[in-house]
Amino acid sequence: MDNIQSAIDIKGGSLFNQAEVYFDDLFLKKLPPLPAQVRDILVKLAPFWAICMIAFAVIQIVFGSLAVLLGLLGTLLSIATLSGSSVIRSVLGVVQSIVGLALGALILIYLARSLRGLFDRKAAGWQALFRAEVVSLIYTVFSWAMTILISVMSLSGLGAIMGIGSSIVALPIWLILFGLGFYLLFQIKDMYARENA
């Protein structure tokens, strides 16, 4: 497990570092800071927020596993009925589920690594929580793109229009929620660095 994690840290390190520099500039220099009392409350709640996210990640992995199994069954049935668009849709669904499982496992690893550091108020805990949030954002954007692709490939007229429409409406909502999450996360960043100084 540690070998996998260290390989991910090495390969993804520059992505996370670039994202951190960008978000530092955006959320710490361009937006107003929160009052100190609110930041203290957020620091106290951060470990418990990570525990809740771990529970959701475990649920996502369990249901993702079921989605892969059902997707494989659907793919086999589509092949048996010789339905071309159904096969493509099923294969794309399986790909989406497998990538979702991989990203969900990565999120779970980062969240688990963040707990001790968040309770001890160490910068390593904040870093792991930040990385979990970045991977969550990547997963959400990937899932959104795959949903649109599957809707387009379904070639079912009204169903495709409804799928694309709901995906277009959902994206700004998700981006606002992630923006708020990153804003709150970066508001407490210096409190973890200060504890280690």
Side-chain angles (χ1 to χ4, degrees), residues 19-42:
E20 187 176 346
V21 168
Y22 174 76
F23 289 144
D24 261 339
D25 184 49
L26 178 65
F27 294 119
L28 293 178
K29 296 177 184 167
K30 294 183 179 174
L31 294 176
L34 290 174
Q37 298 85 358
V38 174
R39 291 169 23 141
D40 288 337
I41 292 171
L42 289 174

Side-chain angles (χ1 to χ4, degrees), residues 4 10 23 41 46 74 80 84 91 111 120 131 133-134 138 159 177-178 196:
I4 294 171
I10 290 169
F23 289 144
I41 292 171
V91 169
L111 288 173
D120 295 340
R131 288 175 178 216
E133 190 75 12
V134 170
I138 291 168
L177 291 174
F178 273 106
N196 292 334

